[in-house]
Amino acid sequence: MAPVLRYIILKVIVLGSYRSRLEIIADILTVVKGNGSAKKTQIMYGANLSYAVLSRYLAEILNACLLKFESSKRHYVLTEKGKKFLQHYREYSRRNKHVERQLENVNAKRKVLEELCSA
């Protein structure tokens, strides 16, 4: 199994069915990056999106110049700006997970305190 596909499947299993806008954009860009370039159907399956949702996101991503469409080959290619987005997204995602773990610890400690206060 391709590393990019394994990454997307793992994300879907771990995250559940709801993804944020930034996660979906990162997933789309990751599929394109992993293949070097990708056609719409490859992105659709790789990012686990419906055709309608993918079309909406592709319009936004193309408008932001994160991807470019090469009409001669009929595929999408990651731009330098898209590569930069993925670098920043990886750092954001790493830090976000760290903050979520800290918040879970704080909530667990709060629960212990609440239990100690009850009769």
Side-chain angles (χ1 to χ4, degrees):
M1 182 181 304
V4 172
L5 185 56
R6 193 174 311 124
Y7 163 81
I8 299 297
I9 290 172
L10 180 63
K11 273 191 93 166
V12 170
I13 291 169
V14 171
L15 292 175
S17 59
Y18 296 106
R19 293 178 282 174
S20 72
R21 176 178 160 270
L22 292 177
E23 287 172 315
I24 292 172
I25 291 170
D27 287 345
I28 291 169
L29 297 181
T30 301
V31 170
V32 175
K33 181 183 180 191
N35 295 327
S37 68
K39 294 189 176 197
K40 203 171 195 176
T41 344
Q42 292 171 310
I43 299 169
M44 186 175 78
Y45 288 115
N48 194 30
L49 296 169
S50 69
Y51 183 83
V53 172
L54 175 63
S55 296
R56 190 182 75 212
Y57 275 95
L58 278 178
E60 181 181 350
I61 290 169
L62 289 168
N63 190 45
C65 299
L66 299 173
L67 287 178
K68 66 179 178 180
F69 181 71
E70 292 186 349
S71 54
S72 61
K73 297 180 183 176
R74 302 200 44 78
H75 64 201
Y76 295 88
V77 178
L78 193 63
T79 64
E80 285 303 313
K81 188 176 177 184
K83 291 175 187 175
K84 190 173 182 178
F85 174 92
L86 281 176
Q87 290 170 345
H88 286 281
Y89 180 78
R90 274 188 222 104
E91 179 63 21
Y92 158 80
S93 182
R94 186 186 65 75
R95 288 183 181 192
N96 190 44
K97 286 176 188 170
H98 178 71
V99 168
E100 284 176 354
R101 281 192 302 272
Q102 286 180 328
L103 186 59
E104 286 172 7
N105 289 339
V106 167
N107 287 335
K109 290 182 189 297
R110 180 186 176 113
K111 184 177 179 182
V112 169
L113 289 170
E114 293 290 342
E115 288 172 359
L116 289 171
C117 290
S118 64

